[in-house]
Amino acid sequence: MMKQALLTLRHATLPQLLVAGLLASSAISAQAALFGDDEARRAIIELRQRADSLQQSQEQTRRSLLDLQSQIEALKADQAKLRGQNEQLMRDSSELQRGQKELAKGFDERLRQFEPISVNVDGMEFTADRSEQQDFEQALGLFRSGKFSEAGQAFAAFLRQWPKSGYTSSVRFWLGNSQYATRDYKNAIANFRSVLTNAPMHVRAPEAALSIANCQVELKDTKAARKTLEDLLQAYPNSEAAGIAKTKLATLK
């Protein structure tokens, strides 16, 4: 085939050679154009692949950013929740401390109600419970307000409630006066004598002796009244009650 083509070209005329050259040149150009299109196509395909890969990478990055943002928001929510819980715990702790202080204060106040206190009554100093002091002052308040029957009951109840009280001598003196005011002279004498027997140096003792004499006078026992007044003058000569006893002795027959 090649030899035949060469023989044909040898015997070809100039026009024929020109046509053959043009045809050969067109074939070569077509092949070159075909080769150029393939390269461009491969380049486009590579660019598309790179673009797709980049888009996928961007999409993955976007999803990662969204996940990270979600995690950040969740952390913020957890932090806010923890902050709220911490603030609540602080409030609860503060309220608990305040409650403990109030409880301790109330306990101290209740405890003080049971602690003995120092009192001074009729020149005598001793310790007493707060409720003991209150009972005495309440009974004495009844007497001073003229409620002698109620006062007598209150003083008698005090002696039962506080049998070893430092108030005892003063209570018996005022109980005797309450009974004298209600004309219960015999029981009044018994309580006045208890003062003289158990606390002869008590500041109320001279008055108790004088009150015994007054009860005896009310009972029409003049002889006993004179003896009581004479004993008073001998035992308490410098007392105010002694001056009254002298005057009273002069009137008794």
Side-chain angles (χ1 to χ4, degrees):
M1 291 291 294
M2 181 63 70
K3 289 180 178 181
Q4 186 176 358
L6 289 174
L7 289 174
T8 302
L9 289 174
R10 279 180 188 173
H11 298 285
T13 61
L14 180 59
Q16 291 175 335
L17 290 174
L18 291 173
V19 171
L22 290 173
L23 291 174
S25 177
S26 298
I28 294 171
S29 297
Q31 290 178 355
L34 180 61
F35 178 79
D37 290 342
D38 291 339
E39 290 293 330
R41 190 178 297 109
R42 284 196 295 271
I44 291 171
I45 291 173
E46 289 179 359
L47 286 174
R48 286 178 178 176
Q49 290 176 344
R50 290 179 183 178
D52 292 341
S53 177
L54 180 61
Q55 184 176 4
Q56 291 176 357
S57 177
Q58 289 177 344
E59 181 65 23
Q60 184 176 1
T61 301
R62 188 180 67 83
R63 287 196 298 268
S64 297
L65 289 174
L66 289 175
D67 291 341
L68 180 61
Q69 183 66 28
S70 298
Q71 293 176 6
I72 292 173
E73 294 298 328
L75 288 174
K76 287 182 178 180
D78 291 341
Q79 185 178 18
K81 183 178 180 180
L82 289 174
R83 187 184 300 111
Q85 291 176 347
N86 185 50
E87 291 175 354
Q88 183 62 42
L89 286 175
M90 291 179 65
R91 287 193 295 270
D92 293 343
S93 177
S94 178
E95 292 178 0
L96 179 60
Q97 291 178 357
R98 184 166 55 253
Q100 289 177 338
K101 289 180 180 179
E102 293 177 354
L103 182 63
K105 181 180 178 181
F107 178 77
D108 290 339
E109 291 177 353
R110 288 193 296 272
L111 185 61
R112 281 195 295 271
Q113 292 178 357
F114 296 99
E115 290 179 349
I117 58 174
S118 179
V119 297
N120 188 320
V121 178
D122 292 333
M124 295 183 63
E125 291 187 3
F126 53 91
T127 59
D129 290 342
R130 292 182 183 273
S131 55
E132 183 180 357
Q133 180 190 38
Q134 292 173 357
D135 289 347
F136 174 78
E137 291 179 350
Q138 182 180 4
L140 188 60
L142 290 170
F143 180 87
R144 288 173 175 170
S145 64
K147 298 178 180 180
F148 302 118
S149 179
E150 292 88 340
Q153 293 174 7
F155 284 123
F158 182 97
L159 293 174
R160 292 191 297 271
Q161 178 68 25
W162 311 99
K164 297 181 180 180
S165 172
Y167 286 100
T168 298
S169 295
S170 296
V171 168
R172 288 200 175 277
F173 173 79
W174 291 109
L175 175 56
N177 278 285
S178 299
Q179 292 166 335
Y180 178 86
T182 57
R183 294 184 171 82
D184 186 3
Y185 302 121
K186 290 184 179 181
N187 285 321
I189 290 173
N191 281 297
F192 289 134
R193 285 195 187 282
S194 178
V195 176
L196 295 175
T197 301
N198 296 298
M201 302 307 296
H202 194 277
V203 68
R204 298 287 184 181
E207 295 180 59
L210 182 61
S211 296
I212 290 173
N214 289 333
C215 288
Q216 291 167 335
V217 170
E218 294 294 337
L219 292 171
K220 310 300 182 183
D221 191 350
T222 303
K223 181 178 180 180
R226 288 183 62 86
K227 178 65 170 61
T228 299
L229 292 172
E230 290 169 356
D231 291 342
L232 188 162
L233 289 171
Q234 184 177 359
Y236 311 103
N238 299 319
S239 65
E240 183 178 350
I244 298 173
K246 288 180 182 180
T247 303
K248 210 165 194 56
L249 274 172
T251 61
L252 290 177
K253 296 182 181 179

